[in-house]
Short mmCIF file of all heavy atoms in Angstrom, two decimals:
data_model
loop_
_atom_site.label_atom_id
_atom_site.label_comp_id
_atom_site.label_asym_id
_atom_site.label_seq_id
_atom_site.Cartn_x
_atom_site.Cartn_y
_atom_site.Cartn_z
N MET A 1 -2.47 -12.92 -3.73
CA MET A 1 -1.54 -13.97 -3.51
C MET A 1 -1.61 -14.91 -4.72
O MET A 1 -2.66 -15.40 -5.11
CB MET A 1 -1.93 -14.75 -2.24
CG MET A 1 -1.07 -15.97 -1.99
SD MET A 1 0.64 -15.63 -1.56
CE MET A 1 0.41 -14.66 -0.11
N HIS A 2 -0.44 -15.15 -5.30
CA HIS A 2 -0.35 -16.01 -6.49
C HIS A 2 0.32 -17.32 -6.04
O HIS A 2 1.45 -17.33 -5.58
CB HIS A 2 0.49 -15.35 -7.57
CG HIS A 2 -0.09 -14.03 -8.00
ND1 HIS A 2 -1.08 -13.93 -8.93
CD2 HIS A 2 0.24 -12.76 -7.65
CE1 HIS A 2 -1.37 -12.64 -9.09
NE2 HIS A 2 -0.59 -11.92 -8.32
N VAL A 3 -0.42 -18.43 -6.16
CA VAL A 3 0.10 -19.76 -5.74
C VAL A 3 0.47 -20.53 -6.99
O VAL A 3 -0.33 -20.73 -7.87
CB VAL A 3 -0.94 -20.49 -4.92
CG1 VAL A 3 -0.40 -21.84 -4.50
CG2 VAL A 3 -1.31 -19.67 -3.66
N SER A 4 1.74 -21.00 -7.00
CA SER A 4 2.25 -21.83 -8.07
C SER A 4 1.99 -21.18 -9.47
O SER A 4 1.64 -21.87 -10.40
CB SER A 4 1.67 -23.22 -8.05
OG SER A 4 2.00 -23.87 -6.85
N ASP A 5 2.20 -19.90 -9.56
CA ASP A 5 1.94 -19.16 -10.82
C ASP A 5 3.24 -18.93 -11.55
O ASP A 5 4.09 -18.16 -11.11
CB ASP A 5 1.27 -17.83 -10.53
CG ASP A 5 0.72 -17.10 -11.70
OD1 ASP A 5 1.28 -17.34 -12.84
OD2 ASP A 5 -0.21 -16.32 -11.57
N PRO A 6 3.47 -19.62 -12.72
CA PRO A 6 4.70 -19.51 -13.40
C PRO A 6 5.02 -18.14 -13.98
O PRO A 6 6.14 -17.88 -14.34
CB PRO A 6 4.57 -20.55 -14.51
CG PRO A 6 3.09 -20.76 -14.72
CD PRO A 6 2.48 -20.51 -13.33
N ARG A 7 4.02 -17.25 -14.05
CA ARG A 7 4.29 -15.91 -14.55
C ARG A 7 5.31 -15.15 -13.70
O ARG A 7 5.96 -14.22 -14.18
CB ARG A 7 3.03 -15.06 -14.61
CG ARG A 7 1.98 -15.60 -15.56
CD ARG A 7 0.73 -14.78 -15.50
NE ARG A 7 0.15 -14.87 -14.18
CZ ARG A 7 -0.80 -14.08 -13.70
NH1 ARG A 7 -1.28 -13.09 -14.44
NH2 ARG A 7 -1.28 -14.28 -12.47
N PHE A 8 5.46 -15.56 -12.46
CA PHE A 8 6.38 -14.85 -11.50
C PHE A 8 7.70 -15.57 -11.27
O PHE A 8 8.45 -15.17 -10.43
CB PHE A 8 5.65 -14.59 -10.21
CG PHE A 8 4.41 -13.74 -10.40
CD1 PHE A 8 3.12 -14.34 -10.51
CD2 PHE A 8 4.49 -12.38 -10.53
CE1 PHE A 8 2.04 -13.58 -10.68
CE2 PHE A 8 3.36 -11.61 -10.77
CZ PHE A 8 2.14 -12.19 -10.82
N ASP A 9 7.94 -16.66 -12.00
CA ASP A 9 9.16 -17.46 -11.76
C ASP A 9 10.43 -16.66 -12.00
O ASP A 9 11.43 -16.86 -11.31
CB ASP A 9 9.18 -18.67 -12.67
CG ASP A 9 8.23 -19.75 -12.23
OD1 ASP A 9 7.67 -19.66 -11.09
OD2 ASP A 9 8.04 -20.73 -13.00
N ARG A 10 10.42 -15.70 -12.90
CA ARG A 10 11.62 -14.93 -13.20
C ARG A 10 11.73 -13.64 -12.41
O ARG A 10 12.73 -12.94 -12.44
CB ARG A 10 11.70 -14.59 -14.68
CG ARG A 10 11.83 -15.82 -15.55
CD ARG A 10 12.17 -15.45 -16.98
NE ARG A 10 12.01 -16.55 -17.89
CZ ARG A 10 12.95 -17.48 -18.09
NH1 ARG A 10 14.09 -17.36 -17.50
NH2 ARG A 10 12.75 -18.45 -18.95
N TRP A 11 10.66 -13.34 -11.62
CA TRP A 11 10.69 -12.15 -10.77
C TRP A 11 11.62 -12.44 -9.59
O TRP A 11 11.77 -13.57 -9.15
CB TRP A 11 9.29 -11.86 -10.27
CG TRP A 11 8.37 -11.23 -11.30
CD1 TRP A 11 8.35 -11.48 -12.63
CD2 TRP A 11 7.36 -10.27 -11.03
NE1 TRP A 11 7.38 -10.76 -13.23
CE2 TRP A 11 6.76 -9.99 -12.27
CE3 TRP A 11 6.96 -9.57 -9.93
CZ2 TRP A 11 5.75 -9.06 -12.41
CZ3 TRP A 11 5.93 -8.67 -10.04
CH2 TRP A 11 5.32 -8.42 -11.30
N GLU A 12 12.25 -11.36 -9.13
CA GLU A 12 13.26 -11.49 -8.04
C GLU A 12 12.59 -11.39 -6.67
O GLU A 12 11.74 -10.53 -6.47
CB GLU A 12 14.30 -10.43 -8.22
CG GLU A 12 15.03 -10.60 -9.58
CD GLU A 12 15.98 -9.47 -9.85
OE1 GLU A 12 15.52 -8.43 -10.40
OE2 GLU A 12 17.16 -9.56 -9.46
N VAL A 13 13.07 -12.24 -5.77
CA VAL A 13 12.55 -12.22 -4.37
C VAL A 13 13.27 -11.11 -3.59
O VAL A 13 14.51 -11.08 -3.55
CB VAL A 13 12.74 -13.58 -3.66
CG1 VAL A 13 12.29 -13.49 -2.20
CG2 VAL A 13 11.97 -14.64 -4.40
N VAL A 14 12.50 -10.20 -3.00
CA VAL A 14 13.04 -9.13 -2.18
C VAL A 14 13.05 -9.56 -0.69
O VAL A 14 13.95 -9.32 0.03
CB VAL A 14 12.22 -7.85 -2.40
CG1 VAL A 14 12.84 -6.71 -1.55
CG2 VAL A 14 12.19 -7.45 -3.82
N ARG A 15 11.96 -10.18 -0.24
CA ARG A 15 11.79 -10.62 1.13
C ARG A 15 10.93 -11.88 1.17
O ARG A 15 10.14 -12.09 0.33
CB ARG A 15 11.07 -9.54 2.00
CG ARG A 15 11.82 -8.25 2.19
CD ARG A 15 12.90 -8.38 3.26
NE ARG A 15 13.41 -7.10 3.69
CZ ARG A 15 14.24 -6.34 3.01
NH1 ARG A 15 14.60 -6.69 1.83
NH2 ARG A 15 14.71 -5.22 3.51
N ASP A 16 11.13 -12.68 2.22
CA ASP A 16 10.28 -13.82 2.48
C ASP A 16 9.53 -13.55 3.76
O ASP A 16 10.02 -12.96 4.70
CB ASP A 16 11.08 -15.12 2.66
CG ASP A 16 11.66 -15.56 1.31
OD1 ASP A 16 10.89 -15.70 0.36
OD2 ASP A 16 12.89 -15.80 1.26
N PHE A 17 8.27 -14.06 3.82
CA PHE A 17 7.39 -13.85 5.00
C PHE A 17 6.70 -15.15 5.32
O PHE A 17 6.61 -16.04 4.51
CB PHE A 17 6.37 -12.75 4.71
CG PHE A 17 6.98 -11.42 4.37
CD1 PHE A 17 7.13 -11.03 3.05
CD2 PHE A 17 7.41 -10.58 5.37
CE1 PHE A 17 7.70 -9.85 2.73
CE2 PHE A 17 7.96 -9.34 5.08
CZ PHE A 17 8.15 -8.98 3.77
N GLU A 18 6.16 -15.18 6.57
CA GLU A 18 5.45 -16.38 7.00
C GLU A 18 3.95 -16.15 7.09
O GLU A 18 3.16 -17.07 7.26
CB GLU A 18 5.98 -16.81 8.36
CG GLU A 18 7.41 -17.34 8.28
CD GLU A 18 7.94 -17.79 9.60
OE1 GLU A 18 7.19 -17.78 10.58
OE2 GLU A 18 9.09 -18.20 9.63
N ASP A 19 3.51 -14.85 7.07
CA ASP A 19 2.07 -14.58 7.19
C ASP A 19 1.66 -13.50 6.18
O ASP A 19 2.43 -12.61 5.79
CB ASP A 19 1.69 -14.11 8.59
CG ASP A 19 2.30 -12.77 8.93
OD1 ASP A 19 3.47 -12.72 9.33
OD2 ASP A 19 1.57 -11.78 8.83
N THR A 20 0.39 -13.57 5.70
CA THR A 20 -0.08 -12.68 4.67
C THR A 20 -0.20 -11.23 5.17
O THR A 20 0.00 -10.35 4.38
CB THR A 20 -1.43 -13.15 4.15
OG1 THR A 20 -2.39 -13.29 5.24
CG2 THR A 20 -1.34 -14.42 3.38
N GLU A 21 -0.58 -11.02 6.40
CA GLU A 21 -0.73 -9.65 6.91
C GLU A 21 0.56 -8.88 6.76
O GLU A 21 0.56 -7.74 6.27
CB GLU A 21 -1.22 -9.68 8.36
CG GLU A 21 -1.52 -8.30 8.90
CD GLU A 21 -2.06 -8.34 10.31
OE1 GLU A 21 -2.55 -9.41 10.75
OE2 GLU A 21 -1.99 -7.29 10.97
N THR A 22 1.65 -9.46 7.22
CA THR A 22 2.98 -8.78 7.12
C THR A 22 3.39 -8.62 5.69
O THR A 22 3.85 -7.56 5.25
CB THR A 22 4.00 -9.58 7.91
OG1 THR A 22 3.56 -9.76 9.25
CG2 THR A 22 5.34 -8.88 7.90
N ALA A 23 3.22 -9.67 4.91
CA ALA A 23 3.62 -9.62 3.50
C ALA A 23 2.87 -8.54 2.72
O ALA A 23 3.44 -7.77 1.98
CB ALA A 23 3.39 -10.98 2.84
N ARG A 24 1.60 -8.43 2.96
CA ARG A 24 0.78 -7.36 2.29
C ARG A 24 1.21 -6.02 2.71
O ARG A 24 1.21 -5.07 1.88
CB ARG A 24 -0.69 -7.61 2.55
CG ARG A 24 -1.24 -8.77 1.80
CD ARG A 24 -2.71 -8.95 2.04
NE ARG A 24 -3.20 -10.06 1.22
CZ ARG A 24 -4.13 -10.90 1.62
NH1 ARG A 24 -4.71 -10.79 2.80
NH2 ARG A 24 -4.54 -11.88 0.80
N ALA A 25 1.58 -5.81 3.94
CA ALA A 25 2.02 -4.48 4.41
C ALA A 25 3.30 -4.07 3.69
O ALA A 25 3.43 -2.94 3.25
CB ALA A 25 2.23 -4.52 5.94
N TRP A 26 4.24 -4.98 3.54
CA TRP A 26 5.47 -4.68 2.87
C TRP A 26 5.25 -4.45 1.37
O TRP A 26 5.87 -3.56 0.77
CB TRP A 26 6.52 -5.77 3.08
CG TRP A 26 7.05 -5.69 4.50
CD1 TRP A 26 6.50 -6.19 5.63
CD2 TRP A 26 8.31 -5.12 4.90
NE1 TRP A 26 7.31 -5.95 6.71
CE2 TRP A 26 8.40 -5.28 6.29
CE3 TRP A 26 9.33 -4.50 4.22
CZ2 TRP A 26 9.50 -4.79 7.04
CZ3 TRP A 26 10.42 -4.00 4.96
CH2 TRP A 26 10.48 -4.17 6.33
N ARG A 27 4.36 -5.24 0.77
CA ARG A 27 4.03 -5.03 -0.65
C ARG A 27 3.43 -3.65 -0.82
O ARG A 27 3.70 -2.96 -1.82
CB ARG A 27 3.09 -6.11 -1.18
CG ARG A 27 2.86 -5.97 -2.69
CD ARG A 27 1.66 -6.75 -3.20
NE ARG A 27 0.47 -6.18 -2.55
CZ ARG A 27 -0.63 -6.87 -2.34
NH1 ARG A 27 -0.69 -8.13 -2.67
NH2 ARG A 27 -1.66 -6.33 -1.75
N GLU A 28 2.59 -3.24 0.09
CA GLU A 28 1.95 -1.92 0.02
C GLU A 28 2.99 -0.81 0.01
O GLU A 28 2.85 0.20 -0.72
CB GLU A 28 0.95 -1.76 1.16
CG GLU A 28 0.20 -0.47 1.12
CD GLU A 28 -0.77 -0.40 -0.08
OE1 GLU A 28 -1.21 -1.42 -0.60
OE2 GLU A 28 -1.06 0.73 -0.53
N HIS A 29 4.06 -0.93 0.81
CA HIS A 29 5.13 0.04 0.80
C HIS A 29 5.72 0.20 -0.61
O HIS A 29 5.98 1.35 -1.04
CB HIS A 29 6.22 -0.31 1.79
CG HIS A 29 5.84 -0.12 3.22
ND1 HIS A 29 5.53 1.13 3.75
CD2 HIS A 29 5.73 -0.96 4.23
CE1 HIS A 29 5.28 1.01 5.04
NE2 HIS A 29 5.35 -0.25 5.36
N LEU A 30 5.96 -0.94 -1.25
CA LEU A 30 6.50 -0.85 -2.59
C LEU A 30 5.50 -0.22 -3.58
O LEU A 30 5.90 0.61 -4.40
CB LEU A 30 6.88 -2.24 -3.08
CG LEU A 30 8.06 -2.89 -2.39
CD1 LEU A 30 8.33 -4.30 -2.94
CD2 LEU A 30 9.32 -2.04 -2.51
N SER A 31 4.25 -0.62 -3.48
CA SER A 31 3.21 -0.06 -4.37
C SER A 31 3.08 1.47 -4.23
O SER A 31 2.98 2.18 -5.20
CB SER A 31 1.86 -0.73 -4.13
OG SER A 31 1.94 -2.10 -4.46
N GLU A 32 3.11 1.93 -2.98
CA GLU A 32 3.03 3.37 -2.73
C GLU A 32 4.19 4.12 -3.33
O GLU A 32 4.09 5.30 -3.66
CB GLU A 32 2.91 3.63 -1.24
CG GLU A 32 1.57 3.21 -0.64
CD GLU A 32 1.51 3.34 0.85
OE1 GLU A 32 2.54 3.66 1.50
OE2 GLU A 32 0.47 3.07 1.41
N ALA A 33 5.36 3.46 -3.45
CA ALA A 33 6.53 4.07 -4.05
C ALA A 33 6.57 3.89 -5.54
O ALA A 33 7.54 4.31 -6.19
CB ALA A 33 7.78 3.48 -3.40
N GLY A 34 5.58 3.26 -6.11
CA GLY A 34 5.51 3.07 -7.54
C GLY A 34 6.29 1.90 -8.05
O GLY A 34 6.54 1.81 -9.27
N ILE A 35 6.62 0.96 -7.21
CA ILE A 35 7.35 -0.25 -7.59
C ILE A 35 6.37 -1.42 -7.69
O ILE A 35 5.70 -1.73 -6.68
CB ILE A 35 8.47 -0.58 -6.59
CG1 ILE A 35 9.46 0.60 -6.57
CG2 ILE A 35 9.20 -1.88 -6.99
CD1 ILE A 35 10.55 0.48 -5.49
N GLU A 36 6.26 -2.04 -8.84
CA GLU A 36 5.40 -3.18 -9.00
C GLU A 36 5.88 -4.34 -8.17
O GLU A 36 7.07 -4.59 -8.13
CB GLU A 36 5.36 -3.57 -10.46
CG GLU A 36 4.38 -4.68 -10.78
CD GLU A 36 4.37 -5.05 -12.27
OE1 GLU A 36 5.19 -4.50 -13.05
OE2 GLU A 36 3.47 -5.87 -12.64
N ALA A 37 4.99 -5.02 -7.52
CA ALA A 37 5.36 -6.15 -6.67
C ALA A 37 4.23 -7.16 -6.60
O ALA A 37 3.07 -6.80 -6.82
CB ALA A 37 5.72 -5.67 -5.23
N ALA A 38 4.59 -8.41 -6.32
CA ALA A 38 3.58 -9.46 -6.16
C ALA A 38 3.95 -10.38 -5.00
O ALA A 38 5.13 -10.53 -4.69
CB ALA A 38 3.47 -10.27 -7.45
N LEU A 39 2.95 -10.96 -4.40
CA LEU A 39 3.14 -11.96 -3.38
C LEU A 39 2.94 -13.32 -3.98
O LEU A 39 1.91 -13.56 -4.64
CB LEU A 39 2.20 -11.73 -2.18
CG LEU A 39 2.41 -10.42 -1.47
CD1 LEU A 39 1.29 -10.24 -0.40
CD2 LEU A 39 3.76 -10.31 -0.85
N THR A 40 3.84 -14.23 -3.74
CA THR A 40 3.74 -15.59 -4.34
C THR A 40 4.04 -16.62 -3.28
O THR A 40 4.65 -16.37 -2.27
CB THR A 40 4.77 -15.79 -5.50
OG1 THR A 40 6.09 -15.73 -4.99
CG2 THR A 40 4.58 -14.72 -6.58
N ALA A 41 3.52 -17.82 -3.57
CA ALA A 41 3.77 -19.01 -2.71
C ALA A 41 3.80 -20.20 -3.62
O ALA A 41 3.07 -20.27 -4.60
CB ALA A 41 2.71 -19.15 -1.67
N ASP A 42 4.63 -21.14 -3.30
CA ASP A 42 4.73 -22.37 -4.08
C ASP A 42 3.56 -23.32 -3.76
O ASP A 42 3.17 -24.12 -4.56
CB ASP A 42 6.03 -23.07 -3.85
CG ASP A 42 7.23 -22.33 -4.46
OD1 ASP A 42 7.01 -21.56 -5.43
OD2 ASP A 42 8.35 -22.49 -3.94
N TRP A 43 3.08 -23.21 -2.51
CA TRP A 43 1.98 -24.09 -2.06
C TRP A 43 0.91 -23.22 -1.39
O TRP A 43 1.18 -22.17 -0.89
CB TRP A 43 2.50 -25.09 -1.03
CG TRP A 43 3.52 -26.00 -1.64
CD1 TRP A 43 3.28 -27.14 -2.37
CD2 TRP A 43 4.93 -25.87 -1.60
NE1 TRP A 43 4.45 -27.74 -2.77
CE2 TRP A 43 5.48 -26.95 -2.29
CE3 TRP A 43 5.77 -24.93 -1.04
CZ2 TRP A 43 6.85 -27.11 -2.49
CZ3 TRP A 43 7.15 -25.06 -1.21
CH2 TRP A 43 7.66 -26.19 -1.89
N PRO A 44 -0.35 -23.72 -1.37
CA PRO A 44 -1.39 -22.98 -0.66
C PRO A 44 -1.02 -22.73 0.78
O PRO A 44 -0.36 -23.52 1.42
CB PRO A 44 -2.61 -23.94 -0.76
CG PRO A 44 -2.33 -24.78 -1.97
CD PRO A 44 -0.82 -24.96 -2.00
N LEU A 45 -1.48 -21.59 1.32
CA LEU A 45 -1.23 -21.22 2.69
C LEU A 45 -2.14 -22.01 3.57
O LEU A 45 -3.18 -22.55 3.11
CB LEU A 45 -1.43 -19.73 2.86
CG LEU A 45 -0.63 -18.82 1.94
CD1 LEU A 45 -0.94 -17.37 2.22
CD2 LEU A 45 0.88 -19.08 2.08
N ASP A 46 -1.86 -22.06 4.87
CA ASP A 46 -2.72 -22.76 5.77
C ASP A 46 -3.95 -21.94 6.07
O ASP A 46 -4.09 -20.83 5.58
CB ASP A 46 -1.99 -23.17 7.08
CG ASP A 46 -1.59 -21.99 7.99
OD1 ASP A 46 -2.11 -20.84 7.78
OD2 ASP A 46 -0.81 -22.20 8.89
N ARG A 47 -4.82 -22.44 6.84
CA ARG A 47 -6.13 -21.76 7.10
C ARG A 47 -6.00 -20.45 7.82
O ARG A 47 -6.91 -19.63 7.88
CB ARG A 47 -7.09 -22.65 7.85
CG ARG A 47 -6.62 -23.04 9.24
CD ARG A 47 -7.54 -24.03 9.88
NE ARG A 47 -7.07 -24.35 11.19
CZ ARG A 47 -7.82 -24.71 12.20
NH1 ARG A 47 -9.13 -24.81 12.04
NH2 ARG A 47 -7.31 -25.04 13.33
N PHE A 48 -4.78 -20.17 8.40
CA PHE A 48 -4.54 -18.90 9.08
C PHE A 48 -3.81 -17.91 8.21
O PHE A 48 -3.43 -16.86 8.64
CB PHE A 48 -3.74 -19.16 10.37
CG PHE A 48 -4.39 -20.13 11.31
CD1 PHE A 48 -3.90 -21.40 11.46
CD2 PHE A 48 -5.52 -19.75 12.03
CE1 PHE A 48 -4.50 -22.28 12.31
CE2 PHE A 48 -6.12 -20.62 12.87
CZ PHE A 48 -5.62 -21.92 13.05
N GLY A 49 -3.58 -18.26 6.95
CA GLY A 49 -2.89 -17.38 5.99
C GLY A 49 -1.37 -17.38 6.20
O GLY A 49 -0.72 -16.45 5.87
N ARG A 50 -0.89 -18.49 6.70
CA ARG A 50 0.57 -18.61 6.93
C ARG A 50 1.18 -19.63 5.97
O ARG A 50 0.51 -20.56 5.55
CB ARG A 50 0.85 -19.01 8.39
CG ARG A 50 0.50 -17.93 9.33
CD ARG A 50 0.84 -18.33 10.74
NE ARG A 50 0.06 -19.56 11.09
CZ ARG A 50 -0.35 -19.84 12.31
NH1 ARG A 50 -0.03 -19.05 13.32
NH2 ARG A 50 -1.03 -20.94 12.57
N GLY A 51 2.45 -19.43 5.69
CA GLY A 51 3.17 -20.32 4.82
C GLY A 51 4.45 -19.67 4.37
O GLY A 51 4.94 -18.74 5.01
N ASP A 52 4.99 -20.13 3.27
CA ASP A 52 6.19 -19.58 2.71
C ASP A 52 5.84 -18.60 1.64
O ASP A 52 5.54 -18.98 0.49
CB ASP A 52 7.06 -20.73 2.15
CG ASP A 52 8.41 -20.26 1.69
OD1 ASP A 52 8.81 -19.12 2.05
OD2 ASP A 52 9.06 -21.04 0.96
N ILE A 53 5.86 -17.31 1.97
CA ILE A 53 5.35 -16.25 1.08
C ILE A 53 6.57 -15.41 0.62
O ILE A 53 7.39 -14.97 1.44
CB ILE A 53 4.37 -15.33 1.81
CG1 ILE A 53 3.19 -16.15 2.33
CG2 ILE A 53 3.91 -14.20 0.88
CD1 ILE A 53 2.32 -15.40 3.31
N ALA A 54 6.64 -15.21 -0.67
CA ALA A 54 7.74 -14.38 -1.28
C ALA A 54 7.21 -13.07 -1.77
O ALA A 54 6.17 -13.05 -2.49
CB ALA A 54 8.44 -15.15 -2.34
N LEU A 55 7.86 -12.00 -1.46
CA LEU A 55 7.57 -10.68 -2.03
C LEU A 55 8.49 -10.51 -3.28
O LEU A 55 9.74 -10.50 -3.08
CB LEU A 55 7.82 -9.58 -1.03
CG LEU A 55 7.68 -8.17 -1.50
CD1 LEU A 55 6.34 -7.83 -2.04
CD2 LEU A 55 8.07 -7.17 -0.40
N ARG A 56 7.94 -10.42 -4.42
CA ARG A 56 8.77 -10.43 -5.65
C ARG A 56 8.55 -9.15 -6.46
O ARG A 56 7.45 -8.58 -6.42
CB ARG A 56 8.37 -11.61 -6.53
CG ARG A 56 8.69 -12.95 -5.94
CD ARG A 56 8.26 -14.08 -6.88
NE ARG A 56 8.53 -15.34 -6.37
CZ ARG A 56 9.59 -16.09 -6.69
NH1 ARG A 56 10.45 -15.63 -7.57
NH2 ARG A 56 9.79 -17.27 -6.16
N VAL A 57 9.58 -8.79 -7.15
CA VAL A 57 9.50 -7.64 -8.09
C VAL A 57 10.02 -8.10 -9.47
O VAL A 57 10.76 -9.06 -9.56
CB VAL A 57 10.34 -6.45 -7.58
CG1 VAL A 57 9.76 -5.88 -6.29
CG2 VAL A 57 11.81 -6.82 -7.40
N PRO A 58 9.59 -7.41 -10.51
CA PRO A 58 10.03 -7.72 -11.90
C PRO A 58 11.54 -7.63 -11.98
O PRO A 58 12.19 -6.84 -11.25
CB PRO A 58 9.34 -6.71 -12.74
CG PRO A 58 8.25 -6.16 -11.97
CD PRO A 58 8.63 -6.25 -10.52
N PRO A 59 12.13 -8.35 -12.93
CA PRO A 59 13.55 -8.26 -13.18
C PRO A 59 13.98 -6.79 -13.39
O PRO A 59 13.27 -6.04 -14.06
CB PRO A 59 13.80 -9.10 -14.46
CG PRO A 59 12.65 -10.04 -14.45
CD PRO A 59 11.50 -9.31 -13.83
N GLY A 60 15.07 -6.41 -12.79
CA GLY A 60 15.56 -5.06 -12.89
C GLY A 60 15.08 -4.10 -11.81
O GLY A 60 15.55 -2.94 -11.73
N SER A 61 14.14 -4.54 -10.99
CA SER A 61 13.57 -3.70 -9.95
C SER A 61 14.10 -4.02 -8.55
O SER A 61 13.77 -3.32 -7.59
CB SER A 61 12.05 -3.79 -9.92
OG SER A 61 11.52 -3.36 -11.13
N TRP A 62 14.89 -5.08 -8.42
CA TRP A 62 15.28 -5.54 -7.13
C TRP A 62 16.06 -4.45 -6.34
O TRP A 62 15.73 -4.23 -5.18
CB TRP A 62 16.13 -6.80 -7.22
CG TRP A 62 16.54 -7.34 -5.88
CD1 TRP A 62 15.79 -8.23 -5.14
CD2 TRP A 62 17.65 -7.03 -5.09
NE1 TRP A 62 16.41 -8.50 -3.94
CE2 TRP A 62 17.56 -7.75 -3.88
CE3 TRP A 62 18.73 -6.19 -5.26
CZ2 TRP A 62 18.51 -7.67 -2.85
CZ3 TRP A 62 19.71 -6.11 -4.28
CH2 TRP A 62 19.57 -6.84 -3.10
N SER A 63 17.02 -3.81 -6.93
CA SER A 63 17.83 -2.83 -6.20
C SER A 63 16.98 -1.68 -5.68
O SER A 63 17.18 -1.23 -4.54
CB SER A 63 19.02 -2.34 -6.99
OG SER A 63 18.60 -1.73 -8.19
N ASP A 64 16.04 -1.19 -6.48
CA ASP A 64 15.18 -0.11 -6.01
C ASP A 64 14.31 -0.57 -4.85
O ASP A 64 14.14 0.17 -3.87
CB ASP A 64 14.26 0.40 -7.16
CG ASP A 64 15.06 1.12 -8.23
OD1 ASP A 64 16.13 1.69 -7.96
OD2 ASP A 64 14.57 1.17 -9.40
N ALA A 65 13.73 -1.78 -4.98
CA ALA A 65 12.87 -2.30 -3.93
C ALA A 65 13.72 -2.54 -2.65
O ALA A 65 13.28 -2.19 -1.57
CB ALA A 65 12.23 -3.60 -4.40
N GLU A 66 14.88 -3.09 -2.80
CA GLU A 66 15.71 -3.41 -1.68
C GLU A 66 16.14 -2.10 -0.93
O GLU A 66 16.11 -2.02 0.28
CB GLU A 66 16.93 -4.18 -2.07
CG GLU A 66 17.89 -4.49 -0.96
CD GLU A 66 17.32 -5.31 0.20
OE1 GLU A 66 16.40 -6.12 -0.04
OE2 GLU A 66 17.74 -5.13 1.37
N GLU A 67 16.48 -1.08 -1.70
CA GLU A 67 16.87 0.21 -1.10
C GLU A 67 15.72 0.78 -0.31
O GLU A 67 15.90 1.25 0.85
CB GLU A 67 17.30 1.15 -2.19
CG GLU A 67 17.80 2.49 -1.66
CD GLU A 67 18.21 3.42 -2.79
OE1 GLU A 67 18.47 2.97 -3.90
OE2 GLU A 67 18.31 4.65 -2.50
N LEU A 68 14.55 0.77 -0.86
CA LEU A 68 13.35 1.30 -0.14
C LEU A 68 13.09 0.52 1.09
O LEU A 68 12.92 1.06 2.19
CB LEU A 68 12.16 1.31 -1.06
CG LEU A 68 10.82 1.71 -0.43
CD1 LEU A 68 10.86 3.23 -0.18
CD2 LEU A 68 9.64 1.40 -1.28
N LEU A 69 13.01 -0.82 0.96
CA LEU A 69 12.63 -1.61 2.12
C LEU A 69 13.72 -1.73 3.19
O LEU A 69 13.38 -1.86 4.40
CB LEU A 69 12.24 -3.03 1.66
CG LEU A 69 11.00 -3.10 0.75
CD1 LEU A 69 10.70 -4.54 0.39
CD2 LEU A 69 9.80 -2.45 1.42
N SER A 70 14.95 -1.59 2.83
CA SER A 70 16.02 -1.66 3.85
C SER A 70 15.97 -0.51 4.81
O SER A 70 16.31 -0.60 5.97
CB SER A 70 17.41 -1.74 3.18
OG SER A 70 17.70 -0.52 2.47
N GLY A 71 15.38 0.62 4.33
CA GLY A 71 15.22 1.75 5.24
C GLY A 71 14.01 1.57 6.19
O GLY A 71 13.90 2.28 7.19
N LEU A 72 13.20 0.57 5.93
CA LEU A 72 12.04 0.26 6.77
C LEU A 72 12.27 -0.90 7.74
O LEU A 72 11.48 -1.14 8.60
CB LEU A 72 10.80 -0.07 5.89
CG LEU A 72 10.36 1.01 4.94
CD1 LEU A 72 9.25 0.50 4.04
CD2 LEU A 72 9.90 2.26 5.71
N ASP A 73 13.35 -1.67 7.53
CA ASP A 73 13.61 -2.81 8.35
C ASP A 73 13.63 -2.40 9.84
O ASP A 73 14.21 -1.39 10.21
CB ASP A 73 14.95 -3.45 8.02
CG ASP A 73 14.83 -4.45 6.85
OD1 ASP A 73 13.73 -4.95 6.59
OD2 ASP A 73 15.84 -4.68 6.23
N LEU A 74 13.03 -3.23 10.64
CA LEU A 74 12.98 -2.95 12.09
C LEU A 74 13.97 -3.77 12.88
O LEU A 74 13.93 -3.80 14.08
CB LEU A 74 11.54 -3.17 12.62
CG LEU A 74 10.49 -2.35 11.91
CD1 LEU A 74 9.11 -2.78 12.40
CD2 LEU A 74 10.72 -0.88 12.19
N ASP A 75 14.84 -4.55 12.17
CA ASP A 75 15.81 -5.41 12.82
C ASP A 75 16.80 -4.63 13.68
O ASP A 75 17.22 -3.61 13.47
CB ASP A 75 16.56 -6.28 11.83
CG ASP A 75 15.60 -7.27 11.19
OD1 ASP A 75 14.49 -7.50 11.71
OD2 ASP A 75 15.99 -7.83 10.09
#
């Protein structure tokens, strides 16, 4: 989890999450498919690992990540 890390400011947000467990699971799906991804937050998470968490990918990778994850959506 990268908190207030400017290295990821230009990376594109694929999904937003409220808890680290869910966010890490989705990031793992991207990693297994060979897509680089990072979890970021603007502020530290609470003691339960909850907060405003963004799953980000490098510029140019958003469409591949979105295509992969949209097939996994449970909505």
